[in-house]
């Protein structure tokens, strides 16, 4: 008889123990929420390598689905000439009072090869000094529509700058992040680049000396001419034409483009 009663009571006892454990877990969770303390279970955070050699890291947890374009650079063959070109570009970027250089030349000159070499340079390569200053890049391809879109362009820059300038990533706000979800960065690219790039960079505490410049590369800007739309305009060119001068002086642009008639 006693064994029968014990058998009946055992499941009930286990049930009460489980209820007590659940109540205890809920109470602990509420305590953390009320005191503003971090929860025990957190989402793993991506930490960029911050390597200053090899192809610049494009991926960022801010925009995990942002297009990756470095593969367009990887088909270029290693450069064995034009050492002087890298030295000339670096020297000019250090000393110019403007926000960078428009590297304009005829088709076949090797403009994209130079941009690719800087973006993926390793120790001992030509262009390694500029690679160590590189914080973002974009590639325009005339037959790849997404490379023409201002929203994609701005999002890529935000992703890579946040990887390479920790102070910048701490300044980016929710309003900026929402503007990509709502499509504002395509409908109002000027407002978007102000909110997400220019104003945060101005607030970022980095040395303003020309020797400490940070580099952004935009390759083949002429190929961002949007032949897919009715307007047939180069929106990224229009954007940079009006906003490049608003960037802080320590941000330098290296823009390559085919010489147009």
């Amino acid at each position: 008889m006693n064994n029968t009663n014990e058998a009946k009571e055992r499941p009930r006892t286990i049930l009460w123990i489980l209820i007590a454990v659940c109540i205890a877990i809920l109470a602990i969770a509420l305590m953390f929420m009320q005191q503003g303390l971090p929860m025990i279970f957190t989402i793993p955070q991506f930490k960029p390598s911050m390597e200053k050699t090899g192809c610049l890291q494009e991926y960022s947890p801010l925009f995990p689905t942002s297009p990756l374009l470095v593969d367009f650079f990887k088909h270029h063959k290693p450069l064995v000439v034009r050492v002087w070109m890298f030295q000339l570009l670096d020297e000019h970027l250090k000393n110019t009072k403007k926000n960078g250089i428009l590297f304009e030349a005829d088709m076949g000159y090797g403009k994209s090869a130079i941009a690719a070499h800087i973006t993926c340079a390793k120790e001992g390569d030509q262009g390694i000094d500029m690679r160590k200053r590189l914080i973002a890049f974009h590639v325009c391809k005339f037959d790849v529509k997404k490379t023409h879109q201002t929203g994609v362009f701005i999002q890529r820059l935000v992703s890579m700058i946040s990887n390479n300038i920790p102070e910048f990533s701490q300044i980016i706000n929710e309003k900026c992040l929402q503007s990509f979800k709502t499509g504002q960065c395509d409908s109002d690219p000027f407002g978007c680049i102000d909110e997400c790039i220019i104003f945060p960079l101005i607030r970022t505490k980095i040395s303003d000396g020309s020797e400490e410049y940070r580099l952004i590369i935009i390759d083949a800007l002429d190929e961002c001419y949007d032949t897919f739309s009715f307007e047939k305009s180069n929106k990224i060119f229009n954007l940079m034409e009006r906003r490049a001068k608003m960037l802080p002086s320590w941000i330098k642009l290296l823009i390559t483009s085919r010489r147009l008639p």
Side-chain angles (χ1 to χ4, degrees):
M1 187 69 177
N2 289 338
N3 290 339
T4 303
N5 290 336
E6 288 177 4
K8 291 181 179 179
E9 289 295 329
R10 190 176 295 116
R12 191 177 301 172
T13 303
I14 294 172
L15 178 61
W16 281 110
I17 291 172
L18 290 174
I19 292 173
V21 170
C22 291
I23 292 173
I25 292 174
L26 180 60
I28 292 170
L30 290 172
M31 181 185 71
F32 273 89
M33 292 173 64
Q34 290 173 353
Q35 296 180 7
L37 297 175
M39 292 295 290
I40 296 172
F41 303 103
T42 59
I43 299 173
Q45 296 295 313
F46 170 80
K47 293 184 179 179
S49 64
M50 300 296 288
E51 288 289 334
K52 296 297 183 182
T53 64
C55 295
L56 187 71
Q57 172 69 256
E58 296 176 272
Y59 175 82
S60 168
L62 285 176
F63 306 107
T65 60
S66 184
L68 308 180
L69 305 181
V70 74
D71 284 345
F72 289 122
F73 275 162
K74 290 183 177 178
H75 70 277
H76 290 286
K77 297 178 180 179
L79 288 175
V80 293
V81 294
R82 297 191 179 133
V83 179
W84 58 269
M85 179 62 73
F86 294 98
Q87 296 171 342
L88 182 65
L89 289 172
D90 189 27
E91 194 64 29
H92 192 80
L93 287 165
K94 287 178 182 176
N95 296 318
T96 182
K97 300 296 183 184
K98 298 181 179 180
N99 278 102
I101 301 172
L102 173 61
F103 184 12
E104 194 178 39
D106 294 328
M107 184 180 296
Y109 185 83
K111 304 177 298 297
S112 291
I114 291 172
H117 196 80
I118 295 171
T119 302
C120 294
K122 299 181 178 66
E123 286 291 351
D125 288 347
Q126 304 162 21
I128 186 61
D129 290 339
M130 283 185 283
R131 168 60 185 88
K132 290 180 178 179
R133 300 177 189 274
L134 185 66
I135 58 172
F137 74 93
H138 186 72
V139 184
C140 294
K141 303 297 289 184
F142 76 94
D143 56 351
V144 183
K145 185 176 181 180
K146 64 185 176 183
T147 68
H148 308 170
Q149 296 170 353
T150 53
V152 169
F153 171 71
I154 298 170
Q155 186 182 84
R156 282 178 46 78
L157 296 193
V158 171
S159 294
M160 286 179 277
I161 295 172
S162 67
N163 282 347
N164 292 282
I165 303 181
E167 298 90 342
F168 176 87
S169 63
Q170 295 168 9
I171 295 172
I172 295 296
N173 57 34
E174 185 61 29
K175 182 180 178 182
C176 165
L177 300 181
Q178 280 296 120
S179 63
F180 293 101
K181 297 177 182 178
T182 60
Q184 181 190 344
C185 289
D186 285 308
S187 62
D188 180 19
F190 295 99
C192 180
I193 199 171
D194 290 345
E195 183 72 34
C196 295
I197 294 179
I198 293 175
F199 296 158
L201 281 174
I202 290 172
R203 293 197 295 269
T204 300
K205 304 301 181 184
I206 297 289
S207 171
D208 207 31
S210 61
E211 289 291 321
E212 300 298 327
Y213 77 85
R214 302 295 190 276
L215 179 63
I216 296 174
I217 291 177
I218 304 173
D219 182 53
L221 182 59
D222 59 287
E223 293 192 29
C224 269
Y225 192 86
D226 194 358
T227 57
F228 296 93
S229 71
F230 178 77
E231 296 178 10
K232 291 184 171 53
S233 63
N234 192 325
K235 295 180 180 178
I236 293 179
F237 170 81
N238 295 337
L239 183 65
M240 298 313 297
E241 183 183 37
R242 294 175 59 180
R243 286 299 189 266
K245 60 188 176 184
M246 295 175 59
L247 291 166
S249 60
W250 50 271
I251 293 291
K252 302 298 182 184
L253 303 171
L254 175 57
I255 301 174
T256 71
S257 176
R258 180 164 57 94
R259 184 178 288 120
L260 299 175

